[in-house]
């Protein structure tokens, strides 16, 4: 009987030892899983800190995170995050604005990755892992094939129907006016009051400075800017400020 008990104890210790070996830091399988989890955590942390504007003025997405960023920007989670932002805009609109009906109540939208999407372009160009090639991107913009972002489309028309003037403020060059207008109309946007694009005198300004200058021009004309929706911090920051700003996620590129 005693011998049986000893044998059971020995076998039990052996099984425990084998189970423990599965979690040993020297185990290659454990190491692979740990590295994968660590990389995923790192890339998600990088993405979140881009959205928080802690990581700024990056030229490219870290190479090890390109697949992660691509997966997020083409996922249902990206759609859900955008939709949540739109819900906050709608909530704000339901209680914020005492419109005076004098034609001076206004809202600003960015264009790229706010009203229309550049994701089809970046799917073919490294998804942020390549330094942005302005000539290549502008050639794609000239084709007027950017799809509408569905989560913004309804909001755009809702704000317009409330009686606000809509101003589109884009960092695109003035030379892209015709294909930009064609693209917006083709996907169903219409009724905006003015589309601001960067003229020759604006091209060397920082985007934040250029867009702040547009807001100042509008406010000097008496417009009350109730809100801005954009995917870049440079569309939202700077003086004078709108009454509220709402940022959509975009981890592919950073424009300052």
């Amino acid at each position: 009987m005693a011998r049986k008990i000893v044998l059971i104890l020995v076998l039990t210790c052996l099984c425990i030892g084998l189970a423990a070996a599965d979690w040993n830091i020297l185990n290659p399988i454990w190491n692979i899983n740990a590295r994968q989890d660590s990389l995923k955590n790192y890339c998600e942390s990088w993405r979140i800190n881009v959205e928080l504007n802690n990581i700024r003025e990056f030229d490219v997405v870290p190479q090890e995170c390109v697949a992660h960023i691509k997966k997020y920007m083409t996922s249902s989670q990206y759609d859900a995050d955008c939709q949540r932002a739109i819900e906050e805009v709608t909530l704000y609109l339901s209680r914020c604005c005492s419109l005076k009906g004098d034609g001076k109540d206004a809202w600003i939208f960015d264009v790229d990755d706010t009203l229309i999407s550049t994701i089809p372009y970046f799917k073919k160009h490294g998804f942020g892992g390549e330094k942005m090639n302005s000539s290549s991107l502008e050639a794609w913009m000239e084709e007027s094939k950017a799809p509408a972002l569905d989560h913004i489309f309804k909001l755009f028309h809702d704000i317009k129907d409330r009686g606000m003037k809509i101003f589109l403020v884009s960092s695109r060059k003035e030379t892209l006016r015709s294909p930009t207008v064609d693209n917006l109309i083709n996907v169903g946007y219409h009724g905006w009051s003015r589309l601001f694009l960067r003229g020759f005198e604006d091209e060397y300004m920082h985007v934040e400075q250029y867009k702040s200058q547009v807001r100042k021009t509008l406010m000097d004309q008496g417009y009350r800017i109730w809100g801005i929706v954009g995917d870049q911090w440079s569309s939202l920051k700077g003086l004078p400020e709108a009454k509220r700003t709402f940022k959509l996620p975009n981890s592919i590129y950073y424009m300052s």
Side-chain angles (χ1 to χ4, degrees):
M1 182 68 179
R3 293 178 63 185
K4 287 184 177 179
I5 292 173
V6 170
L7 180 60
I8 290 169
L9 289 173
V10 168
L11 291 172
T12 300
C13 291
L14 179 61
C15 290
I16 292 172
L18 289 171
D22 287 341
W23 295 99
N24 193 300
I25 196 168
L26 298 179
N27 186 300
I29 296 175
W30 187 93
N31 260 344
I32 291 170
N33 291 336
R35 286 198 299 271
Q36 289 175 341
D37 288 344
S38 178
L39 179 59
K40 180 181 178 182
N41 290 342
Y42 167 75
C43 292
E44 183 61 9
S45 176
W46 185 89
R47 186 187 72 79
I48 289 296
N49 276 277
V50 167
E51 299 301 343
L52 292 172
N53 205 31
N54 293 330
I55 296 174
R56 306 179 182 183
E57 300 186 20
F58 61 90
D59 289 327
V60 294
V61 172
Q63 288 299 315
E64 62 270 31
C65 295
V66 170
H68 178 85
I69 297 303
K70 179 179 180 179
K71 183 177 181 180
Y72 169 74
M73 292 293 295
T74 56
S75 71
S76 59
Q77 185 61 56
Y78 167 74
D79 291 336
D81 291 345
C82 290
Q83 187 57 48
R84 181 55 191 270
I86 302 314
E87 289 170 3
E88 291 301 316
V89 178
T90 303
L91 180 62
Y92 167 69
L93 286 168
S94 70
R95 61 192 183 191
C96 74
C97 315
S98 302
L99 304 186
K100 294 187 178 181
D102 59 358
K104 293 297 185 179
D105 296 299
W107 195 278
I108 291 176
F109 284 96
D110 187 14
V111 174
D112 289 304
D113 297 303
T114 299
L115 297 181
I116 53 179
S117 175
T118 65
I119 286 178
Y121 171 82
F122 284 104
K123 279 182 177 178
K124 298 178 180 179
H125 295 274
F127 234 96
E130 300 174 5
K131 193 167 183 178
M132 189 180 293
N133 183 321
S134 297
S135 298
S136 172
L137 179 58
E138 288 171 6
W140 179 81
M141 290 174 174
E142 287 176 350
E143 297 176 2
S144 303
K145 293 181 179 179
L149 286 164
D150 294 338
H151 44 263
I152 292 292
F153 186 82
K154 183 176 181 298
L155 176 68
F156 174 94
H157 289 289
D158 178 39
I159 290 175
K160 180 168 62 70
D161 292 344
R162 288 172 183 266
M164 291 192 192
K165 295 283 184 70
I166 292 181
F167 294 98
L168 311 184
V169 185
S170 173
S171 58
R172 290 187 178 199
K173 295 178 181 178
E174 180 63 38
T175 54
L176 290 167
R177 178 170 295 276
S178 181
T180 300
V181 170
D182 288 345
N183 198 157
L184 290 167
I185 292 174
N186 289 344
V187 297
Y189 291 106
H190 57 81
W192 64 83
S193 294
R194 183 173 174 183
L195 168 63
F196 289 89
L197 300 175
R198 299 180 76 172
F200 179 76
E201 68 279 6
D202 304 319
E203 283 188 28
Y204 298 101
M205 282 185 185
H206 285 294
V207 174
E208 181 180 326
Q209 181 185 359
Y210 156 67
K211 294 196 173 186
S212 296
Q213 181 175 282
V214 171
R215 291 197 297 275
K216 183 178 186 305
T217 297
L218 292 172
M219 290 182 181
D220 286 347
Q221 293 172 0
Y223 287 101
R224 296 175 291 277
I225 302 176
W226 289 98
I228 305 173
V229 177
D231 67 294
Q232 297 290 315
W233 282 100
S234 53
S235 297
L236 312 176
K237 293 174 62 182
L239 299 174
E241 296 178 332
K243 296 181 185 296
R244 275 291 303 269
T245 59
F246 298 88
K247 187 183 182 301
L248 300 174
N250 186 348
S251 308
I252 303 175
Y253 57 86
Y254 188 98
M255 299 187 70
S256 59

